[in-house]
Amino acid sequence: MAAEMEDVVGDKWIKGAVKNKGALRKALGTPEGEPISAEKLKTIKTKLRKKGQGDKKLSLGDRKLLRRVQLALTLRGFNKS
């Protein structure tokens, strides 16, 4: 467990963060090899945040999708540096 945490905290934290490779693509129905646009990801993120505003709660599936979209947007920013 401690060694696993070191990977997450160390240089290779991305490897530990991506557990189900391709899950976002499958959830969005995007074919493999076709890029997912940042605009589409931002739109989905906005819709999910609105859906969970106030007293409402997101379903487990929606929460997972929101986390995956946020991670994809974060990792997309690393490509440009």
Coordinates of all heavy atoms in Angstrom, one line a residue:
M1 N 0.8 -1.2 0.0 CA 0.0 0.0 0.0 C 0.9 1.3 0.0 O 0.6 2.2 -0.7 CB -0.9 0.0 1.2 CG -1.7 1.2 1.4 SD -3.4 0.9 0.7 CE -4.2 2.4 1.1
A2 N 1.9 1.2 0.8 CA 2.8 2.4 0.9 C 3.5 2.6 -0.4 O 3.7 3.8 -0.9 CB 3.8 2.2 2.0
A3 N 3.9 1.6 -1.1 CA 4.6 1.7 -2.4 C 3.7 2.2 -3.4 O 4.1 3.0 -4.3 CB 5.2 0.3 -2.8
E4 N 2.4 1.8 -3.3 CA 1.4 2.3 -4.3 C 1.2 3.8 -4.1 O 1.1 4.6 -5.1 CB 0.1 1.6 -4.1 CG -0.9 1.9 -5.1 CD -2.2 1.1 -4.9 OE1 -2.1 -0.1 -4.8 OE2 -3.3 1.7 -4.8
M5 N 1.2 4.3 -2.9 CA 1.0 5.7 -2.6 C 2.2 6.5 -3.0 O 2.1 7.6 -3.5 CB 0.8 5.9 -1.1 CG -0.5 5.5 -0.6 SD -1.9 6.3 -1.5 CE -1.7 8.0 -0.9
E6 N 3.4 5.9 -3.0 CA 4.6 6.6 -3.4 C 4.5 6.9 -4.9 O 5.0 7.9 -5.4 CB 5.9 5.8 -3.1 CG 6.3 5.9 -1.6 CD 7.5 5.0 -1.3 OE1 8.3 4.7 -2.3 OE2 7.7 4.7 -0.2
D7 N 4.0 5.9 -5.7 CA 3.9 6.1 -7.1 C 2.9 7.3 -7.4 O 3.1 8.1 -8.3 CB 3.4 4.9 -7.8 CG 4.5 3.9 -8.0 OD1 5.6 4.2 -7.9 OD2 4.1 2.7 -8.3
V8 N 1.8 7.3 -6.6 CA 0.8 8.4 -6.8 C 1.4 9.7 -6.5 O 1.2 10.7 -7.1 CB -0.5 8.1 -6.0 CG1 -1.4 9.2 -6.0 CG2 -1.1 6.8 -6.5
V9 N 2.2 9.8 -5.4 CA 2.8 11.1 -5.0 C 4.0 11.4 -5.8 O 4.3 12.6 -6.0 CB 3.1 11.0 -3.5 CG1 3.8 12.3 -3.0 CG2 1.9 10.7 -2.7
G10 N 4.7 10.5 -6.2 CA 6.0 10.7 -7.0 C 5.8 11.2 -8.4 O 4.8 11.8 -8.7
D11 N 6.8 10.9 -9.2 CA 6.8 11.4 -10.6 C 5.7 10.7 -11.4 O 5.3 11.3 -12.4 CB 8.2 11.1 -11.2 CG 9.3 12.0 -10.6 OD1 9.0 13.0 -10.0 OD2 10.5 11.5 -10.6
K12 N 5.3 9.5 -11.1 CA 4.4 8.8 -12.0 C 3.0 8.8 -11.4 O 2.3 7.7 -11.4 CB 4.9 7.4 -12.2 CG 6.3 7.3 -12.9 CD 6.7 5.9 -13.1 CE 8.1 6.0 -13.8 NZ 8.6 4.6 -14.1
W13 N 2.5 9.9 -10.9 CA 1.2 9.9 -10.2 C 0.1 9.7 -11.3 O -1.0 9.2 -11.0 CB 1.0 11.2 -9.4 CG 0.9 12.4 -10.3 CD1 1.9 13.3 -10.7 CD2 -0.3 13.0 -10.9 NE1 1.4 14.3 -11.4 CE2 0.1 14.1 -11.6 CE3 -1.6 12.6 -10.8 CZ2 -0.9 14.9 -12.3 CZ3 -2.6 13.4 -11.5 CH2 -2.2 14.5 -12.2
I14 N 0.4 10.1 -12.5 CA -0.7 10.0 -13.5 C -1.0 8.5 -13.8 O -2.1 8.1 -14.0 CB -0.2 10.6 -14.8 CG1 -0.1 12.2 -14.6 CG2 -1.2 10.4 -16.0 CD1 0.6 12.9 -15.8
K15 N 0.0 7.6 -13.8 CA -0.2 6.2 -14.0 C -1.1 5.7 -12.9 O -2.0 4.8 -13.2 CB 1.2 5.5 -13.9 CG 1.1 4.0 -14.2 CD 2.5 3.4 -14.2 CE 2.5 2.0 -14.6 NZ 3.8 1.4 -14.6
G16 N -1.0 6.1 -11.7 CA -1.9 5.7 -10.6 C -3.3 6.3 -10.7 O -4.3 5.7 -10.2
A17 N -3.4 7.5 -11.3 CA -4.7 8.2 -11.4 C -5.6 7.6 -12.5 O -6.8 7.6 -12.4 CB -4.4 9.7 -11.7
V18 N -5.0 7.0 -13.5 CA -5.7 6.5 -14.6 C -5.9 5.0 -14.4 O -5.0 4.2 -14.7 CB -5.0 6.7 -16.0 CG1 -5.8 6.2 -17.1 CG2 -4.9 8.2 -16.2
K19 N -7.0 4.6 -13.9 CA -7.2 3.1 -13.5 C -7.9 2.4 -14.6 O -7.6 1.3 -14.9 CB -7.9 3.0 -12.2 CG -7.1 3.4 -11.0 CD -7.8 3.2 -9.7 CE -7.0 3.4 -8.5 NZ -6.7 4.7 -8.1
N20 N -8.9 3.0 -15.2 CA -9.7 2.4 -16.3 C -9.5 3.1 -17.6 O -10.3 4.0 -18.0 CB -11.2 2.4 -15.9 CG -11.5 1.7 -14.6 OD1 -10.9 0.6 -14.4 ND2 -12.4 2.2 -13.8
K21 N -8.4 2.8 -18.2 CA -8.1 3.4 -19.5 C -9.2 3.2 -20.5 O -9.6 2.1 -20.7 CB -6.8 2.9 -20.0 CG -6.1 3.7 -21.1 CD -4.8 3.2 -21.4 CE -4.2 4.0 -22.5 NZ -2.9 3.6 -22.9
G22 N -9.7 4.3 -21.1 CA -10.7 4.2 -22.2 C -12.1 4.3 -21.6 O -13.1 4.3 -22.4
A23 N -12.3 4.4 -20.3 CA -13.6 4.4 -19.7 C -14.4 5.7 -20.1 O -15.6 5.7 -20.4 CB -13.5 4.3 -18.2
L24 N -13.7 6.8 -20.2 CA -14.3 8.1 -20.6 C -14.8 8.0 -22.0 O -15.9 8.4 -22.4 CB -13.4 9.3 -20.4 CG -13.9 10.6 -20.8 CD1 -15.2 11.0 -20.0 CD2 -12.9 11.7 -20.7
R25 N -13.9 7.5 -22.9 CA -14.2 7.3 -24.3 C -15.5 6.4 -24.5 O -16.3 6.7 -25.3 CB -13.0 6.8 -25.0 CG -13.2 6.6 -26.5 CD -11.9 6.2 -27.1 NE -10.8 7.2 -27.0 CZ -10.7 8.3 -27.7 NH1 -11.6 8.6 -28.6 NH2 -9.7 9.1 -27.5
K26 N -15.5 5.4 -23.7 CA -16.6 4.4 -23.8 C -17.9 5.1 -23.3 O -19.0 4.9 -23.9 CB -16.3 3.2 -23.0 CG -17.3 2.0 -23.2 CD -17.0 0.9 -22.3 CE -15.8 0.1 -22.9 NZ -15.6 -1.2 -22.2
A27 N -17.8 5.8 -22.2 CA -19.0 6.5 -21.7 C -19.6 7.6 -22.6 O -20.8 7.8 -22.7 CB -18.7 7.1 -20.3
L28 N -18.7 8.2 -23.4 CA -19.1 9.2 -24.3 C -19.5 8.7 -25.7 O -20.1 9.4 -26.5 CB -18.0 10.3 -24.5 CG -17.6 11.1 -23.3 CD1 -16.5 12.0 -23.6 CD2 -18.8 11.8 -22.7
G29 N -19.1 7.4 -25.9 CA -19.5 6.8 -27.2 C -18.6 7.2 -28.3 O -19.0 7.2 -29.5
T30 N -17.4 7.7 -28.0 CA -16.5 8.2 -29.0 C -15.6 7.0 -29.5 O -15.1 6.3 -28.7 CB -15.6 9.3 -28.4 OG1 -16.4 10.3 -27.8 CG2 -14.7 9.9 -29.5
P31 N -15.5 6.8 -30.8 CA -14.7 5.7 -31.3 C -13.3 5.9 -31.0 O -12.8 7.0 -30.9 CB -14.9 5.8 -32.9 CG -16.1 6.7 -33.1 CD -16.2 7.6 -31.9
E32 N -12.6 4.8 -30.8 CA -11.1 4.8 -30.5 C -10.4 5.4 -31.7 O -10.7 5.1 -32.9 CB -10.6 3.4 -30.3 CG -9.3 3.3 -29.6 CD -8.9 1.9 -29.1 OE1 -9.8 1.2 -28.8 OE2 -7.7 1.7 -29.1
G33 N -9.4 6.2 -31.4 CA -8.6 6.9 -32.5 C -9.2 8.3 -32.8 O -8.5 9.1 -33.4
E34 N -10.4 8.6 -32.5 CA -11.0 9.9 -32.7 C -10.8 10.7 -31.5 O -11.1 10.3 -30.3 CB -12.5 9.7 -33.0 CG -13.2 11.0 -33.4 CD -14.6 10.8 -33.7 OE1 -14.9 9.9 -34.5 OE2 -15.4 11.6 -33.2
P35 N -10.3 11.9 -31.6 CA -10.0 12.8 -30.4 C -11.3 13.3 -29.8 O -12.3 13.5 -30.5 CB -9.2 13.9 -30.9 CG -9.5 14.0 -32.4 CD -9.8 12.6 -32.8
I36 N -11.3 13.5 -28.5 CA -12.4 14.1 -27.8 C -12.0 15.5 -27.6 O -11.0 15.9 -27.0 CB -12.6 13.4 -26.4 CG1 -12.8 11.9 -26.5 CG2 -13.8 14.0 -25.7 CD1 -12.9 11.2 -25.2
S37 N -12.9 16.4 -28.1 CA -12.5 17.8 -28.1 C -12.7 18.4 -26.7 O -13.5 18.0 -25.9 CB -13.4 18.6 -29.1 OG -14.8 18.6 -28.6
A38 N -11.8 19.4 -26.4 CA -11.9 20.1 -25.1 C -13.2 20.8 -25.0 O -13.8 20.8 -23.8 CB -10.8 21.1 -25.0
E39 N -13.8 21.3 -26.0 CA -15.1 21.9 -26.0 C -16.2 21.0 -25.5 O -17.0 21.3 -24.7 CB -15.4 22.5 -27.4 CG -16.7 23.3 -27.4 CD -17.0 23.9 -28.8 OE1 -16.0 24.3 -29.4 OE2 -18.2 23.9 -29.1
K40 N -16.1 19.7 -26.0 CA -17.1 18.7 -25.7 C -17.0 18.4 -24.2 O -18.0 18.3 -23.5 CB -16.9 17.5 -26.5 CG -18.0 16.4 -26.3 CD -17.8 15.3 -27.2 CE -18.9 14.2 -27.0 NZ -18.8 13.1 -28.0
L41 N -15.7 18.2 -23.7 CA -15.5 17.9 -22.3 C -16.0 19.1 -21.4 O -16.6 18.8 -20.4 CB -14.0 17.7 -22.1 CG -13.4 16.4 -22.7 CD1 -11.9 16.4 -22.5 CD2 -14.0 15.2 -22.1
K42 N -15.7 20.3 -21.8 CA -16.2 21.4 -21.0 C -17.7 21.5 -20.9 O -18.3 21.9 -19.9 CB -15.6 22.7 -21.5 CG -14.1 22.9 -21.3 CD -13.5 24.1 -21.9 CE -12.0 24.2 -21.7 NZ -11.4 25.3 -22.3
T43 N -18.3 21.2 -22.1 CA -19.8 21.2 -22.1 C -20.4 20.2 -21.2 O -21.3 20.4 -20.4 CB -20.3 20.9 -23.5 OG1 -19.7 21.9 -24.4 CG2 -21.8 21.0 -23.6
I44 N -19.8 19.0 -21.2 CA -20.3 17.9 -20.3 C -20.1 18.3 -18.9 O -20.9 18.1 -18.0 CB -19.6 16.6 -20.6 CG1 -20.0 16.1 -22.0 CG2 -19.8 15.5 -19.6 CD1 -19.1 15.0 -22.6
K45 N -18.9 18.9 -18.6 CA -18.6 19.3 -17.2 C -19.6 20.3 -16.7 O -20.1 20.2 -15.6 CB -17.2 19.8 -17.1 CG -16.7 20.3 -15.8 CD -15.3 20.8 -15.8 CE -14.9 21.4 -14.5 NZ -13.6 22.0 -14.6
T46 N -19.9 21.3 -17.5 CA -20.9 22.3 -17.2 C -22.3 21.7 -16.9 O -22.9 22.0 -15.9 CB -21.0 23.4 -18.3 OG1 -19.7 23.9 -18.5 CG2 -21.9 24.5 -17.9
K47 N -22.7 20.8 -17.8 CA -24.0 20.2 -17.6 C -24.1 19.4 -16.3 O -25.1 19.4 -15.6 CB -24.3 19.3 -18.8 CG -24.7 20.0 -20.1 CD -25.0 19.0 -21.2 CE -25.4 19.8 -22.5 NZ -25.6 18.9 -23.6
L48 N -23.0 18.6 -16.0 CA -23.1 17.8 -14.8 C -23.0 18.7 -13.6 O -23.7 18.4 -12.6 CB -21.9 16.8 -14.8 CG -22.0 15.7 -15.8 CD1 -20.7 14.9 -15.9 CD2 -23.2 14.8 -15.5
R49 N -22.3 19.8 -13.6 CA -22.2 20.7 -12.4 C -23.6 21.3 -12.2 O -24.0 21.5 -11.1 CB -21.2 21.7 -12.6 CG -19.8 21.2 -12.4 CD -18.8 22.3 -12.4 NE -17.5 21.7 -12.1 CZ -16.8 21.9 -11.0 NH1 -17.4 22.7 -10.0 NH2 -15.6 21.4 -10.7
K50 N -24.3 21.7 -13.3 CA -25.6 22.3 -13.1 C -26.6 21.3 -12.6 O -27.4 21.6 -11.8 CB -26.1 22.8 -14.5 CG -25.6 24.2 -14.8 CD -26.3 24.7 -16.1 CE -25.8 26.1 -16.4 NZ -26.5 26.6 -17.6
K51 N -26.4 20.0 -13.0 CA -27.3 19.0 -12.6 C -27.2 18.7 -11.1 O -28.2 18.4 -10.4 CB -27.0 17.7 -13.4 CG -28.0 16.6 -13.2 CD -27.6 15.4 -14.1 CE -28.5 14.2 -14.0 NZ -28.1 13.1 -14.8
G52 N -26.0 18.9 -10.6 CA -25.7 18.6 -9.1 C -25.8 19.9 -8.3 O -25.4 19.8 -7.1
Q53 N -26.2 21.0 -8.8 CA -26.3 22.2 -8.0 C -27.4 22.2 -6.9 O -28.4 21.5 -7.1 CB -26.6 23.4 -8.9 CG -25.3 24.2 -9.3 CD -25.7 25.4 -10.2 OE1 -26.7 25.5 -10.8 NE2 -24.7 26.3 -10.3
G54 N -27.1 23.0 -5.9 CA -28.2 23.1 -4.8 C -28.3 21.9 -4.0 O -27.3 21.3 -3.6
D55 N -29.6 21.5 -3.7 CA -29.9 20.4 -2.9 C -29.8 19.0 -3.6 O -29.8 18.0 -3.0 CB -31.3 20.5 -2.3 CG -31.4 21.6 -1.4 OD1 -30.3 22.1 -0.8 OD2 -32.5 22.1 -1.2
K56 N -29.7 19.1 -5.0 CA -29.6 17.9 -5.8 C -28.2 17.2 -5.7 O -27.2 17.9 -5.5 CB -29.9 18.2 -7.2 CG -31.2 18.9 -7.5 CD -31.3 19.3 -8.9 CE -32.3 20.5 -9.1 NZ -32.1 21.2 -10.3
K57 N -28.2 15.9 -5.8 CA -27.0 15.1 -5.8 C -26.9 14.4 -7.1 O -27.9 14.0 -7.7 CB -27.0 14.2 -4.6 CG -26.8 14.8 -3.3 CD -26.5 13.8 -2.2 CE -26.3 14.4 -0.9 NZ -26.0 13.4 0.1
L58 N -25.7 14.2 -7.5 CA -25.4 13.5 -8.8 C -25.5 12.0 -8.5 O -25.1 11.5 -7.4 CB -24.1 13.8 -9.4 CG -23.9 15.2 -9.9 CD1 -22.4 15.4 -10.4 CD2 -24.8 15.4 -11.1
S59 N -25.9 11.2 -9.4 CA -25.9 9.7 -9.3 C -24.4 9.3 -9.3 O -23.5 10.0 -9.7 CB -26.7 9.1 -10.4 OG -26.0 9.3 -11.6
L60 N -24.2 8.0 -8.9 CA -22.8 7.5 -8.9 C -22.2 7.5 -10.3 O -21.1 7.9 -10.4 CB -22.9 6.1 -8.4 CG -21.5 5.3 -8.3 CD1 -20.6 6.1 -7.3 CD2 -21.7 3.9 -7.9
G61 N -23.0 7.2 -11.3 CA -22.5 7.2 -12.7 C -22.1 8.6 -13.1 O -21.1 8.8 -13.8
D62 N -22.9 9.6 -12.8 CA -22.6 11.0 -13.1 C -21.4 11.5 -12.4 O -20.6 12.3 -12.9 CB -23.9 11.9 -12.8 CG -25.0 11.7 -13.8 OD1 -24.7 11.1 -14.9 OD2 -26.1 12.1 -13.5
R63 N -21.3 11.1 -11.1 CA -20.1 11.5 -10.4 C -18.8 11.0 -11.0 O -17.8 11.7 -11.1 CB -20.2 11.1 -8.9 CG -21.1 12.0 -8.1 CD -21.1 11.6 -6.7 NE -21.9 10.3 -6.6 CZ -22.1 9.6 -5.5 NH1 -21.6 10.0 -4.4 NH2 -22.8 8.5 -5.5
K64 N -18.9 9.7 -11.4 CA -17.7 9.1 -12.0 C -17.4 9.8 -13.3 O -16.2 10.1 -13.6 CB -18.0 7.6 -12.3 CG -17.7 6.7 -11.1 CD -17.9 5.3 -11.6 CE -17.6 4.3 -10.4 NZ -17.7 2.9 -10.8
L65 N -18.4 10.1 -14.1 CA -18.2 10.8 -15.4 C -17.6 12.2 -15.2 O -16.7 12.5 -15.9 CB -19.5 10.9 -16.2 CG -19.5 11.5 -17.5 CD1 -18.5 10.8 -18.4 CD2 -20.8 11.6 -18.1
L66 N -18.1 12.9 -14.2 CA -17.6 14.2 -13.9 C -16.1 14.1 -13.5 O -15.3 14.9 -14.0 CB -18.4 14.9 -12.8 CG -17.9 16.3 -12.4 CD1 -18.0 17.2 -13.5 CD2 -18.8 16.8 -11.2
R67 N -15.7 13.2 -12.6 CA -14.3 13.0 -12.2 C -13.5 12.7 -13.4 O -12.3 13.2 -13.6 CB -14.2 12.0 -11.2 CG -14.5 12.5 -9.8 CD -14.2 11.5 -8.7 NE -15.5 10.7 -8.5 CZ -15.5 9.4 -8.3 NH1 -14.4 8.7 -8.2 NH2 -16.6 8.8 -8.1
R68 N -13.9 11.8 -14.3 CA -13.2 11.4 -15.5 C -13.0 12.6 -16.4 O -11.9 12.8 -17.0 CB -13.8 10.3 -16.2 CG -13.7 9.0 -15.4 CD -14.4 7.8 -16.1 NE -14.2 6.6 -15.3 CZ -15.0 5.6 -15.2 NH1 -16.1 5.6 -15.9 NH2 -14.7 4.5 -14.5
V69 N -14.0 13.4 -16.6 CA -13.9 14.6 -17.5 C -12.9 15.6 -16.9 O -12.1 16.2 -17.6 CB -15.3 15.2 -17.7 CG1 -15.2 16.6 -18.3 CG2 -16.2 14.3 -18.5
Q70 N -13.0 15.8 -15.6 CA -12.1 16.8 -14.9 C -10.6 16.3 -15.1 O -9.7 17.1 -15.4 CB -12.4 16.9 -13.5 CG -13.7 17.8 -13.2 CD -14.1 17.8 -11.8 OE1 -13.9 16.9 -11.0 NE2 -14.8 18.9 -11.4
L71 N -10.4 15.0 -14.9 CA -9.1 14.5 -15.1 C -8.6 14.6 -16.5 O -7.4 15.0 -16.7 CB -9.0 13.0 -14.6 CG -7.7 12.3 -14.7 CD1 -6.6 13.0 -13.8 CD2 -7.8 10.8 -14.4
A72 N -9.5 14.3 -17.5 CA -9.1 14.5 -18.9 C -8.7 15.9 -19.2 O -7.7 16.2 -19.9 CB -10.2 14.0 -19.8
L73 N -9.4 16.9 -18.7 CA -9.1 18.3 -18.9 C -7.8 18.7 -18.2 O -7.0 19.4 -18.8 CB -10.2 19.2 -18.4 CG -11.5 19.2 -19.2 CD1 -12.6 19.9 -18.5 CD2 -11.3 19.8 -20.6
T74 N -7.5 18.1 -17.1 CA -6.3 18.4 -16.4 C -5.1 17.8 -17.1 O -4.1 18.5 -17.4 CB -6.3 17.8 -14.9 OG1 -7.4 18.4 -14.2 CG2 -5.0 18.1 -14.2
L75 N -5.2 16.6 -17.6 CA -4.1 15.9 -18.3 C -3.9 16.5 -19.6 O -2.8 16.5 -20.1 CB -4.4 14.4 -18.4 CG -4.5 13.6 -17.1 CD1 -4.8 12.2 -17.4 CD2 -3.2 13.8 -16.3
R76 N -5.0 17.0 -20.2 CA -4.8 17.7 -21.5 C -3.9 18.9 -21.4 O -3.1 19.2 -22.3 CB -6.2 18.2 -22.0 CG -6.2 18.8 -23.4 CD -7.7 19.1 -23.8 NE -8.4 18.0 -24.2 CZ -8.6 17.6 -25.4 NH1 -8.0 18.3 -26.4 NH2 -9.3 16.5 -25.7
G77 N -4.0 19.6 -20.3 CA -3.1 20.8 -20.1 C -1.6 20.4 -20.0 O -0.8 21.2 -20.3
F78 N -1.3 19.2 -19.5 CA 0.1 18.8 -19.4 C 0.7 18.6 -20.8 O 2.0 18.7 -20.9 CB 0.2 17.5 -18.6 CG -0.1 17.6 -17.2 CD1 -0.7 16.6 -16.5 CD2 0.2 18.8 -16.5 CE1 -1.0 16.7 -15.1 CE2 0.0 18.9 -15.1 CZ -0.6 17.9 -14.5
N79 N 0.0 18.3 -21.8 CA 0.5 18.1 -23.1 C 1.2 19.4 -23.7 O 2.1 19.3 -24.4 CB -0.6 17.7 -24.1 CG -0.4 16.3 -24.5 OD1 0.5 15.6 -24.2 ND2 -1.4 15.8 -25.3
K80 N 0.7 20.5 -23.3 CA 1.1 21.8 -23.9 C 2.4 22.4 -23.2 O 3.0 23.3 -23.7 CB 0.0 22.8 -23.8 CG -1.2 22.4 -24.7 CD -2.3 23.3 -24.6 CE -3.5 22.7 -25.5 NZ -4.6 23.5 -25.4
S81 N 2.7 21.8 -22.0 CA 3.9 22.4 -21.4 C 5.2 21.7 -21.8 O 5.3 20.8 -22.5 CB 3.7 22.2 -19.9 OG 3.5 20.9 -19.5

